[in-house]
C-alpha cells in the first residue's frame, strides 16, 4: 500500500501564508522521506492547491491511501465537517483510494514548547525584533516609546 500525507490548512488571500504551508510540506517530506514518499500541501479554500487538486496529485503519484492531516489547532467546524466533506468529494472519483482525517494539532507538549520558544525569542530581543519592529504587533505604546527614545 502506498500512503500519501496531505497537509491541509485553511488557505489565505495572503501568498506568504500559503507559501508557509508549502514550506511545511516540503520540510515534512524531507524529514520523513523514509516513511512517506508522497507528501502534498492543500488549502481548504481561497488558494490552490485545493484538497481536490492535492488528491489528484496523490492519485497520480500512486497513492492508494491518503492521510489528511489538518494544520489546525482546534477541532472546529473545518475539522468536524468541512475537511472530511471535501476529502470525501475529492476521493469519490478514485474508487481504489481510501483516506482518513487525523485529529488537529490540539494540546500537545510540543506546542507548549513552541509557545515558550516564541515568547523567549521576543523577550531575548527585548520585544524589538526586526520582524515586528514598527508594526501593530509591537504594540502602539511600545512603538511610541521607541520613537521617543525611552
Amino acid at each position: 500500500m502506498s500512503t500519501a500525507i496531505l497537509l491541509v490548512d485553511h488557505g489565505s488571500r495572503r501568498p506568504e501564508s500559503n507559501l508557509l504551508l508549502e514550506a511545511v510540506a516540503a520540510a515534512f517530506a524531507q524529514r520523513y522521506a523514509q516513511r512517506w514518499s508522497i507528501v502534498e500541501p492543500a488549502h481548504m479554500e481561497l488558494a490552490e492547491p485545493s484538497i481536490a487538486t492535492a488528491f489528484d496529485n496523490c492519485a497520480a503519484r500512486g497513492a492508494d491511501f491518503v492521510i489528511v492531516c489538518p494544520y489546525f489547532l482546534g477541532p472546529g467546524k473545518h475539522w468536524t465537517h468541512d475537511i472530511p466533506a471535501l476529502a470525501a468529494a475529492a476521493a469519490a472519483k478514485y474508487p481504489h483510494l481510501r483516506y482518513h482525517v487525523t485529529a488537529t494539532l490540539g494540546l500537545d507538549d510540543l506546542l507548549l514548547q513552541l509557545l515558550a520558544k516564541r515568547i523567549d525569542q521576543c523577550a531575548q530581543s527585548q520585544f524589538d525584533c526586526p520582524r515586528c519592529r514598527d508594526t501593530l504587533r509591537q504594540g502602539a505604546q511600545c512603538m511610541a516609546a521607541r520613537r521617543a527614545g525611552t
Side-chain angles (χ1 to χ4, degrees), residues 64-137:
D64 50 19
F65 195 92
V66 178
I67 299 173
V68 180
C69 188
Y71 195 61
F72 286 72
L73 289 177
K77 180 179 174 270
H78 293 323
W79 178 68
T80 59
H81 179 266
D82 299 334
I83 292 171
L86 290 166
K93 64 189 206 183
Y94 301 102
H96 73 284
L97 193 62
R98 296 182 317 134
Y99 70 93
H100 180 84
V101 179
T102 70
T104 57
L105 299 175
L107 177 60
D108 189 286
D109 189 58
L110 292 173
L111 283 174
L112 301 178
Q113 291 175 40
L114 181 57
L115 287 170
K117 179 181 178 180
R118 294 293 179 254
I119 293 164
D120 288 343
Q121 288 169 333
C122 291
Q124 289 166 0
S125 71
Q126 297 186 8
F127 307 99
D128 192 27
C129 70
R131 177 182 284 167
C132 296
R133 187 172 293 139
D134 295 326
T135 70
L136 288 176
R137 289 186 304 275

Side-chain angles (χ1 to χ4, degrees), residues 20-37:
L20 175 64
L21 183 69
E22 290 180 26
V24 169
F28 185 91
Q30 183 177 2
R31 180 170 295 181
Y32 297 103
Q34 297 297 335
R35 292 178 69 182
W36 298 292
S37 61

Side-chain angles (χ1 to χ4, degrees), residues 135-136 138-148 150:
T135 70
L136 288 176
Q138 197 172 31
Q141 292 173 331
C142 293
M143 289 168 49
R146 194 168 89 75
R147 284 192 201 109
T150 58

